[in-house]
């Protein structure tokens, strides 16, 4: 069974950074891209970027360049996203999702809630 | 950036009613790159239809998708209470990948 298990909720101060994880199981980690999606409270979905676990190659939404950094650890089948210089605008739920490069996101993690507050 | 405009924004349907949600793209998209997701309150999005018209695993046959170019649609043949959710279209044709603003479906 394919599963994407994301790390727990984060409460962080403005200006800080946060690194969240997404541990994959039930499939060959390097066979699919890992995509990251932001959902602000009550809002739609925004694609942040994706990473090819095979070679670490990344594509980013221009809006999130400099804000988000995507990495993977093939040895533990885990994808990571770091968000820098956090502001209240970064408060949201962040999802990881599996998919081929241009194809649909067929499995999603449960989401990591990030709250930026002093 | 390809903007996806969904219509309607919200709607309410009676059980058994046929529902159609549309997704209009600001530029033409190959049908291979248009997908639909269902998100129930408090849950992660779930893939519903991929590449315009292919049902994802486990999705009931009352759901269907169609379209081409800049105009796509999601249809629920007969509304059921469990279909209460927000539905999003998404394009994988160009970067940035984008989602529609969502259609919230309620039951009458």
């Amino acid at each position: 069974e394919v599963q994407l298990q994301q790390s727990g909720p984060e409460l962080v101060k403005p200006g800080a950074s946060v690194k969240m994880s997404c541990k994959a199981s039930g499939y060959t980690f390097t066979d699919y891209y890992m995509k990251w999606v932001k959902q602000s409270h009550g809002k739609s979905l925004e694609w942040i970027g994706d990473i090819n676990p095979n070679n670490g190659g990344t594509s980013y939404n221009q809006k999130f360049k400099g804000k988000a950094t995507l990495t993977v650890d093939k040895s533990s089948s885990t994808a990571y996203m770091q968000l820098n210089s956090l502001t209240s605008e970064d408060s949201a739920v962040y999802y990881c999702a599996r998919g081929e490069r241009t194809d649909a996101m067929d499995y999603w993690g449960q989401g990591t809630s990030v709250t930026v507050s002093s | 950036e390809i903007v996806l405009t969904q219509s309607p924004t919200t709607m309410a349907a009676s059980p058994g009613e046929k529902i159609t949600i549309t997704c209009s793209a600001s530029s033409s998209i190959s049908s291979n790159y248009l997908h639909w997701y269902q998100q129930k309150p408090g849950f992660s999005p779930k893939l519903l239809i991929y590449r315009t018209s292919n049902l994802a695993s486990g999705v009931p046959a009352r759901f269907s998708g169609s379209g081409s170019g800049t105009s796509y649609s999601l249809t629920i043949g007969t509304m059921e209470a469990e279909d209460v959710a927000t539905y999003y279209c998404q394009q994988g044709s160009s970067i940035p990948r984008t989602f529609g603003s969502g259609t919230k479906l309620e039951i009458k």
Side-chain angles (χ1 to χ4, degrees):
Chain A
E1 178 194 6
V2 173
Q3 289 191 333
L4 300 177
Q5 184 64 39
Q6 296 189 240
S7 48
E10 302 273 4
L11 173 59
V12 294
K13 294 191 185 314
S17 297
V18 67
K19 188 173 185 176
M20 64 190 75
S21 64
C22 171
K23 183 171 176 58
S25 61
Y27 71 99
T28 302
F29 184 59
T30 50
D31 280 353
Y32 294 86
Y33 283 63
M34 193 65 76
K35 302 158 187 280
W36 290 87
V37 174
K38 176 184 180 182
Q39 186 169 39
S40 301
H41 183 67
K43 300 286 182 63
S44 184
L45 303 161
E46 286 184 280
W47 175 77
I48 296 170
D50 52 45
I51 185 166
N52 181 345
N54 230 349
N55 58 18
T58 53
S59 293
Y60 289 96
N61 185 335
Q62 184 69 31
K63 178 179 177 180
F64 293 94
K65 280 187 178 178
K67 171 64 67 177
T69 302
L70 306 182
T71 56
V72 295
D73 177 359
K74 288 193 286 187
S75 68
S76 63
S77 298
T78 302
Y80 298 92
M81 179 171 69
Q82 179 165 319
L83 300 173
N84 304 314
S85 304
L86 292 166
T87 72
S88 59
E89 295 295 307
D90 300 313
S91 293
V93 176
Y94 294 87
Y95 295 102
C96 61
R98 182 190 89 158
E100 297 190 17
R101 189 176 64 87
T102 58
D103 216 339
M105 302 174 207
D106 60 354
Y107 286 91
W108 294 63
Q110 82 277 22
T112 294
S113 174
V114 174
T115 302
V116 182
S117 174
S118 55
Chain B
E1 171 173 326
I2 295 178
V3 175
L4 300 178
T5 302
Q6 288 185 232
S7 178
T9 304
T10 62
M11 69 181 301
S14 301
E17 188 176 344
K18 181 178 180 179
I19 303 301
T20 298
I21 297 169
T22 64
C23 176
S24 176
S26 59
S27 299
S28 184
I29 301 169
S30 162
S31 60
N32 285 331
Y33 302 135
L34 194 286
H35 318 296
W36 291 93
Y37 302 88
Q38 176 192 64
Q39 186 177 31
K40 296 186 178 181
F43 289 86
S44 305
K46 168 190 165 185
L47 177 64
L48 203 62
I49 291 175
Y50 61 98
R51 299 181 210 149
T52 295
S53 59
N54 298 277
L55 259 60
S57 177
V59 173
R62 62 180 180 276
F63 289 91
S64 63
S66 64
S68 64
T70 60
S71 183
Y72 294 85
S73 63
L74 168 69
T75 298
I76 306 175
T78 51
M79 174 74 181
E80 295 195 10
E82 67 179 24
D83 300 334
V84 169
T86 300
Y87 294 84
Y88 297 96
C89 56
Q90 179 249 324
Q91 65 82 20
S93 176
S94 66
I95 289 176
R97 316 302 184 204
T98 49
F99 292 85
S101 53
T103 294
K104 186 175 182 180
L105 177 59
E106 300 168 333
I107 196 154
K108 284 183 185 174

